[in-house]
Every structure is written in C-alpha cells, then in structure tokens.
Amino acid sequence: MADKRGIARIGARALGGLIGAGVAVVAIAGATLLPLPDFAIGAPAATVRPVPADQQRVCPGPVLALAADSGSATQASPIGEATTSYGTDGPDVQVTDLKPDSDGGHGSETPQALTVSTPHGSRTPPLFAGAQLQNAASDDLAGLTSAACAEPAADTWLVAGATSLGQTSLVLLANPTSVDATVSLSIYTETGTVSAPGATGIVVPAGGQKVVPLAGLAPAAAAPVVHVQTTGGEVVATMQQSFEQGIQPQGAELTGGTGAPSRQQVIPGMTIAGLAKVTAAQSGESVGVAFPAVRIFVPGDKDAEVTIGAVGEEGTAAGTSYAQTVKAGNVAEVPLENLKDGSYTVTVNSSVPVVAAARTTSIGTKTRDFAWFVSSEPLRDTFLAAIPSGAGGTLHLANASEKDQKVTVTPDGGKPTDLVVPAEGAANIRLSANRYTVTNADGLRGGVTFAGDGLTSAFALAPPGPLAAPIDVYAH
C-alpha cells in the first residue's frame, strides 16, 4: 500500500507539473499572439526652417588690361565701363561695389554685387536677373563682351581662353560673401593636366576680387579648361580672353561657367556670321583660332566616345553631326564643318561625363571678334532676362522635348509676344534693351547673343539655385 501511495503521490506531482507547464505554454503563446501595449517613446524632434538667404549675383565688371611694364605685368586695370541691366519681381536690388584687385578701378569700373532679399517663408527665390555688355576699344584690346550676373558657387568649370601666341587670358574671381574664399585652380590642356605652383591656396578677400593671369600657370596653352573650387566663401569665376595678332586687336570675350560634367551638354544659340570671311582668313593660321569649334574636356579616367549634333534654329539650314574620341584627362577641339551662317543648338552626347563649350568668330568690314557659348541647365517655368543697352540682343530657346512649347515674352512696361519653340528644335527673338519676363519655359535651355559688324558675344541663362530646405533636428 505504501508503494501504491508513493506512486500516487509521484503521479499527482507529475500531473501538477504537466498542468503548470501547460499553463506556462498558454501564457507564452498568448503573450506572443496578443498585441502588446505600445510603450515606444519617439525621439523628440523639431523642424527648423532656415531663414531664406539673400539672393546674390555678381557682374564681373569691365574688361581688364595687364600693365605693359614688365615690373607690374600681373597688375590689371579696367578699360572703360560696362553697361549693366538688372531687375527683380521682389524687393529692390541693392548694388555693392566689390574691391578690385588693383587700385585702378572704382564705382562702375569694378565688379558689382547685386543683392535682393528673399521674403521670409518663401519656398522659391524671387525672379532676379542681371547682365552686362561692353564694346571695349583700345590699342591692344578690342571686342564686344557680355556676361550674365551670376550666382557665387564653390565649383565652376571655365571652358574658354588660351595662352598661345597673341592670346591673353585672365581668371577673374569675385567674392561677394562676408568671409574670405580660398580658391584652387585645376588646369587642363590639350597635353593633359598642368602642374602649376601657385594654382592653389589663392585667397580672394571677402567683398573683393582677385585676377589670375592664366599664362603664369599654363603658358602656351591653345585649349585650356580651368576647374575652380573654393573653401570658405564662394566666388563668381569668369574667364576673360583677348586676342591680338601683330599689333591688331582680334577680339575679346568674358565667359562664365559651363555645365558641370555630364554625359550630355546642350549649348543653345551658337551663332555663326560671315563664315565665308572666316574661312578665307584661315590661310596661314590655325583652324582652332577662328573656325567654329567645340572644346571638350574629359575629367574622368576613361576615354570619351563623343557625338556632336548641331541643329539649326528656325530660319537656319539643317545642321549636321560629328563623332570623335577624346582622351581621358585631355582637352580636344572639334571643328564644326559644313555649317552655314545662322544660329544652332549644339548637343554633345558622350559615353562618359564631359564639359564643353563652343566658339565662333565674326569678321566685319573693319573689326574682328569672337564669342564663347557655354552649355546651360533647364530653365524654370518663369524667369527674368536682362538685356543691357548696346548691340542688338537675341534670346535663344532650345526645346529637347517631343512637343512644341509656346512661351510668352513680356518686356517691362510693354506688350507680351508669343514665341513657339518647336519640338526637338529651337527658336529666337530679337530684343531691345530692357528686362523681360518669360513664362511657360519649363525645361527649355536658353542663351542671349549680341552681334554687330565684326562684333559678337554671348552668355547662357541659368536657373536660380534652390533655397535652403526645412531640417528636422533630433535632440539627444
């Protein structure tokens, strides 16, 4: 009986253990299957909306000439004055003269910073544009120059200039910010990268300008490309190029930054005039000096297979296309043959990212000049264009889409004019000196050209940079 009672006690204990284990399993299963109370604590965050920064543009000022005295050959002095036009649909524009690199300029003979306040809470910057134009004339330097008043940037590509015989090129660095900018110039030519002591650590003072003669860094360069990078303050970088053959000035130009490296570059409004005279003048000189050409640089380590298309604007004969291989790290110039007088949209398609710009020459009855045409970014739906007084201005718009696009061009105080930009084509409109509001231009590329007898110049239209976006700040 004792054994039976022991067995019974053991059985009861075992049964109790099994029941307890069952209850535990049910409890665990219930805890797993049933939703638990949400006790998560979110990280505290605050959305900070930065105060919109003032919008700034810099007009590079009049063309500069280096001193003839060998002891001060790096000192630049202004020649004449540039005519400036600017405007905004927001608050009034504040104009500040930047301190020139030498003591030779003041007031209208210096670079000018244009500033307009952005209303608090704005998500887009106010419409704002400025441009300058100058017909320079001296014994050593003559030509029509123009430039858009550009936003300061920390990274700019200058595809223009030369330092070969008769060519003078200056890199103009203007700093409208309140802190000094330290600038590095990376220079590339038809022979590759240039190792140039003095090309780094260039200090451009706050509210000032620095002029760097390119010949001191890259002598005898037929086709340079300069990459401008800054730390600290941002700068507006411009290339001034002038050409003198013997004792005769052969033109001058101011050229702003071209599009950042990309597999496609679109250059609107490249204008050819008097090509027969240019062709006849080629005898005894390099084709690269005067003949229409596209300058291309490959910043990567792979060669570029490049196709260049030139499509005529309305009223211009159909264009043509060109194919070439450009070596990595080298600059090449591709002559644009088989074209006629007129305006073209030049598109560079490449297997790898490249930078590019085009150049043409105009020969008149008494004078000769050249112009650079840089690539441009897609425009926004509405923008302002400023046309300074001087030579006749032409607005060029290129349309890469598959549908025609009708834009409206309205001068200040004047009546609007409609312009149809054909699909996969381009159109232009002559404009007198004024400020113009252009609407329904979303996605188009634009540029402005000026022309006269033996005079030519151009600048690209650029969309404004974005305003600062709201930021979520999380406390630790």
Side-chain angles (χ1 to χ4, degrees), residues 130-274:
Q132 69 170 60
L133 182 69
Q134 181 184 3
N135 188 359
S138 72
D139 292 340
D140 303 320
L141 190 156
L144 187 66
T145 67
S146 67
C149 303
E151 286 189 83
D155 192 292
T156 305
W157 288 89
L158 298 175
V159 181
T163 60
S164 49
L165 182 63
Q167 302 274 3
T168 301
S169 296
L170 308 175
V171 179
L172 313 180
L173 304 171
N175 176 10
T177 72
S178 59
V179 296
D180 292 352
T182 302
V183 179
S184 295
L185 305 179
S186 300
I187 305 170
Y188 311 92
T189 70
E190 61 277 11
T191 59
T193 303
V194 175
S195 178
T200 60
I202 302 169
V203 177
V204 185
Q209 180 198 50
K210 183 73 174 178
V211 179
V212 181
L214 190 59
L217 303 176
V225 168
V226 181
H227 188 197
V228 182
Q229 295 172 292
T230 76
T231 57
E234 297 181 328
V235 302
V236 171
T238 307
M239 178 74 77
Q240 177 189 306
Q241 180 183 355
S242 59
F243 178 33
E244 184 180 14
Q245 193 170 40
I247 60 172
Q248 295 296 323
Q250 302 289 303
E253 180 69 311
L254 294 173
T255 307
T258 195
S262 174
R263 293 178 61 187
Q264 183 180 76
Q265 301 288 353
V266 179
I267 303 170
M270 187 197 75
T271 301
I272 298 174

Side-chain angles (χ1 to χ4, degrees), residues 388-409:
S389 60
T394 302
L395 171 66
H396 303 261
L397 295 172
N399 178 10
S401 73
E402 298 179 354
K403 295 178 62 177
D404 293 354
Q405 196 161 331
K406 184 172 73 172
V407 302
T408 301
V409 182

Side-chain angles (χ1 to χ4, degrees), residues 21-36:
V23 172
V25 169
V26 172
I28 293 172
T32 304
L33 299 176
L34 294 177
L36 295 174

